[in-house]
Amino acid sequence: GGLLFAKLVVIAVVRRLKKIAEKTVTTFDDLLVGIIEKIVLPGLYISCFYLSSKVLNLPSAADKVANIIELGVVTFLPLEQ
């Protein structure tokens, strides 16, 4: 369900924002749309997996690994872009 929601966000919101950004003269809004596509949406996908792992009854070691991966991705994903 979460990945479907994320995909719907991509289809509905990002496309709409791109159309709005194309109509303006400034490039700031184009930059914001690019940030949403490159940082927010991959973070949303990874957060879906993270939240799914929280719903499952995983062993504590696997839960800690999921926590560390999520923390690393949320911390370092914006830095790579």
Side-chain angles (χ1 to χ4, degrees):
L3 291 177
L4 179 62
F5 172 74
K7 188 64 174 178
L8 290 175
V9 167
V10 172
I11 291 171
V13 175
V14 173
R15 283 187 185 173
R16 195 169 293 164
L17 288 175
K18 278 185 178 181
K19 286 181 183 180
I20 293 170
E22 288 174 356
K23 294 178 184 179
T24 63
V25 181
T26 63
T27 58
F28 181 72
D29 48 2
D30 298 324
L31 176 70
L32 290 178
V33 172
I35 289 172
I36 290 171
E37 284 183 314
K38 292 182 181 177
I39 295 175
V40 174
L41 293 175
L44 184 60
Y45 288 137
I46 295 191
S47 295
C48 288
F49 284 113
Y50 174 75
L51 292 173
S52 297
S53 74
K54 293 297 173 188
V55 172
L56 300 173
N57 289 327
L58 298 175
S60 64
D63 191 44
K64 287 180 184 179
V65 169
N67 288 339
I68 291 169
I69 291 172
E70 175 71 9
L71 180 63
V73 167
V74 169
T75 302
F76 294 111
L77 183 67
L79 298 177
E80 281 198 20
Q81 306 299 326

